[in-house]
Amino acid sequence: QVQLAESGGGSVQAGGSLRLSCSGPGYRSNTNCMGWFRQAPGKAREAVARINIGSERYGIWHHDSVKGRFTISQDNAENTIYLQMNSLKPEDTAMYYCATDSRANCPTVPMWDFNYRGQGTQVTVSA
């Protein structure tokens, strides 16, 4: 279900930065997992970063291709998920989606199969 909304996408030159935000009814008090994934034209969906909140599996994960450049964070007071993207590269160009899930097994579920997601925000990085 589309119960989240992303913002912050845009066009930047390589080396630039963007900060994506995600909020909406899909961010609930019982949310156990949240994250960002992306899809470029003609390519498969790719997990970018996620936070697993469940007490037994708490953790923050970033894909190897974005480690050291991207940082996922959450603000419970604002019910918002962020993705800070620095040192952007042309290969980061894609539609970026956020997603959340409240199921106990969500740490083992791909983000594109989460309960709730947004409609995406486009990120374009030029060389």
Side-chain angles (χ1 to χ4, degrees):
Q1 300 184 45
V2 179
Q3 293 203 8
L4 296 166
E6 302 93 342
S7 62
S11 297
V12 296
Q13 290 188 326
S17 298
L18 286 172
R19 188 192 196 198
L20 306 184
S21 300
C22 168
S23 61
Y27 191 133
R28 303 164 183 258
S29 59
N30 63 346
T31 293
N32 278 333
C33 299
M34 59 185 68
W36 294 89
F37 65 94
R38 64 188 179 186
Q39 188 165 26
K43 295 188 177 180
R45 288 169 296 197
E46 179 181 62
V48 176
R50 64 188 288 163
I51 300 174
N52 296 329
I53 301 172
S55 60
E56 294 183 1
R57 290 180 181 250
Y58 180 82
I60 298 176
W61 172 91
H62 295 83
H63 192 279
D64 284 348
S65 66
V66 306
K67 279 183 181 177
R69 301 188 298 122
F70 292 10
T71 303
I72 187 172
S73 63
Q74 61 178 121
D75 184 333
N76 286 329
E78 298 293 330
N79 287 350
T80 302
I81 309 164
Y82 298 102
L83 185 68
Q84 178 66 45
M85 305 187 295
N86 299 327
S87 302
L88 282 160
K89 303 176 180 180
E91 51 263 43
D92 295 318
T93 295
M95 186 72 79
Y96 283 71
Y97 301 88
C98 66
T100 62
D101 198 290
S102 56
R103 293 171 289 179
N105 69 334
C106 63
T108 64
V109 176
M111 283 183 279
W112 37 87
D113 290 333
F114 278 3
N115 292 138
Y116 307 109
R117 56 183 284 180
Q119 292 188 317
T121 186
Q122 178 68 37
V123 172
T124 302
V125 185
S126 57

